[in-house]
Amino acid sequence: MPTITLKLELYQPTKFKQAMYERMTQINTEFANWLLLHPNVNKATSKIFKEFSDEKFPSAIINQTIRDVKSQKKHQQARVFRKMWCSFNNQNLKVEKNGDFYTVSFPMLEKRIGVPVVARPYHQQWL
């Protein structure tokens, strides 16, 4: 089965959630750039994040970032990332339908957070 990628727009997240996601993106970008220069990037696991920082960060995001960095380094010879967004896959993303709205929950810095998303007609069949 082919991989399906959906880019969903968050529906009016609170200022707190926006700030938290921006902070996570900043940490993720710094980690990805550090990882590009790491000599053992091909053997990297989520435990490598402890070498980078003492902060708490969801291991699901760390693992996805490691996969993305390995791929970018191997296939596109990436040298630096301007912005590495936190990405979520079907193992750490939960989609629920509440009435006419869809809510997506994913791991954040402290806990799992749910956010309503804007579901376009072409998203409906996949959600």
Side-chain angles (χ1 to χ4, degrees), residues 30-110:
E30 291 170 5
F31 175 61
N33 286 322
W34 176 84
L35 194 59
L36 270 175
L37 303 174
H38 198 276
N40 294 327
V41 69
N42 290 329
K43 297 178 182 177
T45 64
S46 61
K47 293 179 183 178
I48 199 167
F49 188 80
K50 290 180 183 176
E51 290 179 29
F52 169 72
S53 175
D54 291 332
E55 291 187 57
K56 286 192 164 209
F57 206 66
S59 62
I61 297 172
I62 294 169
N63 289 330
Q64 188 64 42
T65 301
I66 290 170
R67 280 187 222 107
D68 293 344
V69 168
K70 285 180 187 178
S71 175
Q72 294 283 334
K73 187 173 183 176
K74 182 178 179 182
H75 298 295
Q76 297 177 359
Q77 287 83 34
R79 298 190 195 291
V80 68
F81 296 107
R82 285 187 222 140
K83 195 165 275 201
M84 176 68 84
W85 301 101
C86 298
S87 53
F88 306 97
N89 57 33
N90 63 347
Q91 295 173 344
N92 55 18
L93 179 79
K94 187 175 181 181
V95 180
E96 296 176 334
K97 185 172 184 175
N98 298 331
D100 292 337
F101 293 101
Y102 285 93
T103 303
V104 177
S105 66
F106 42 84
M108 294 294 265
L109 291 174
E110 298 169 8

Side-chain angles (χ1 to χ4, degrees), residues 14-25 109:
T14 62
K15 298 283 185 200
F16 174 76
K17 289 179 183 178
Q18 287 176 3
M20 185 183 295
Y21 195 70
E22 287 173 10
R23 176 72 180 128
M24 287 179 62
T25 301
L109 291 174

